[in-house]
């Protein structure tokens, strides 16, 4: 394993080039009777001069693979949300949010654009994996405590506000995608106009 790794290394390749140069010098008669020393010396010099090996960077999943994972997590999130009892106002807001998230995660040209924007993938991932489940879970736990201590701000009010903020964030993301496509269309129009006589 180590030997085969060295055989493919930059140092060995550079050393072999130096050794070949030594053989050329030998066949042309320049090296004379000291040709083994010349070949070995040029091999060593080539190996010393070669740039060091650098480790390969870690292979992280590309954004499209990350979107596939987020899409699968979104399916699990929807199953969770179907079992949670929410007040009608929060249910309406949650439905609007999940429909927008579903449209953004729908396989097709939208996800192709998303895959080119790691920040957008992160925003969707955070909404699906953290923000929405946490908002709903905190509401479910707080609702129980509110029954024991009446007179507090209703947890529904906080949940509705959180869902509104998450929906606004998802809308900004969708708006950014629309603007990207609009710029692309305008750019193509300019290209065609410049190309025409």
């Amino acid at each position: 394993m180590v030997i085969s790794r060295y055989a493919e290394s930059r140092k060995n390749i550079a050393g072999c080039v130096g050794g070949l140069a030594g053989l050329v010098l030998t066949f042309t008669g320049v090296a004379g009777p000291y040709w083994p020393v010349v070949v070995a010396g040029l091999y060593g010099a080539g190996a010393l001069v070669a740039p060091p090996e650098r480790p390969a960077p870690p292979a992280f999943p590309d954004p499209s693979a990350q979107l596939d994972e987020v899409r699968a997590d979104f399916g699990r999130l929807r199953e969770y949300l179907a079992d949670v009892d929410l007040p009608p106002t929060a249910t309406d807001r949650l439905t609007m949010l999940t429909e927008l998230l579903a449209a953004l995660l729908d396989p097709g040209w939208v996800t192709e654009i998303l895959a080119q924007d790691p920040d957008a993938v992160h925003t969707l991932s955070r909404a699906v994996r953290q923000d929405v489940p946490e908002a709903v879970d905190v509401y479910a736990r707080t609702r129980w405590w509110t029954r024991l201590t009446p007179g507090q701000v209703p947890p529904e009010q906080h949940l509705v506000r959180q869902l509104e903020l998450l929906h606004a964030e998802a809308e900004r993301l969708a708006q950014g995608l629309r603007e990207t496509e609009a710029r692309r269309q305008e750019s193509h129009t300019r290209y065609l106009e410049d190309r025409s006589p």
Side-chain angles (χ1 to χ4, degrees):
M1 181 71 178
V2 175
I3 294 173
S4 67
R5 196 176 325 149
Y6 179 76
E8 298 171 356
S9 71
R10 294 178 185 175
K11 290 191 175 293
N12 184 49
I13 293 171
C16 288
V17 170
L20 285 174
L23 287 175
V24 169
L25 292 174
T26 299
F27 291 126
T28 58
V30 175
Y34 302 108
W35 69 268
V37 175
V38 170
V39 171
L42 287 175
Y43 175 87
L48 288 174
V49 173
E53 294 292 323
R54 64 176 178 79
F60 296 114
D62 64 344
S64 60
Q66 291 176 357
L67 279 174
D68 291 339
E69 294 172 9
V70 173
R71 195 175 294 116
D73 291 342
F74 182 62
R76 287 192 289 278
L77 175 64
R78 288 182 106 164
E79 291 173 7
Y80 162 72
L81 295 175
D83 293 336
V84 178
D85 182 33
L86 298 176
T89 312
T91 301
D92 293 343
R93 296 279 192 267
L94 185 61
T95 301
M96 290 169 48
L97 175 60
T98 55
E99 286 175 356
L100 182 54
L101 292 174
L104 289 169
L105 288 169
D106 190 34
W109 66 270
V110 175
T111 52
E112 290 174 13
I113 299 169
L114 276 172
Q116 298 171 11
D117 186 357
D119 290 335
V121 173
H122 174 71
T123 299
L124 274 176
S125 173
R126 185 181 58 208
V128 168
R129 294 175 174 161
Q130 179 182 348
D131 295 336
V132 174
E134 185 172 342
V136 172
D137 184 56
V138 169
Y139 161 76
R141 287 184 283 135
T142 307
R143 179 179 59 176
W144 185 84
W145 285 105
T146 306
R147 292 177 186 161
L148 298 176
T149 56
Q152 302 291 324
V153 175
E156 297 85 12
Q157 190 174 345
H158 287 289
L159 176 62
V160 167
R161 181 66 182 136
Q162 291 167 7
L163 294 174
E164 287 172 348
L165 291 169
L166 290 170
H167 188 266
E169 183 179 49
E171 278 188 328
R172 283 192 301 275
L173 179 59
Q175 179 64 31
L177 295 175
R178 278 192 294 268
E179 289 172 1
T180 299
E181 284 303 291
R183 283 192 302 273
R184 184 175 170 202
Q185 186 180 33
E186 290 169 6
S187 173
H188 189 63
T189 301
R190 281 194 303 274
Y191 163 74
L192 292 174
E193 288 171 348
D194 293 344
R195 194 176 73 178
S196 63

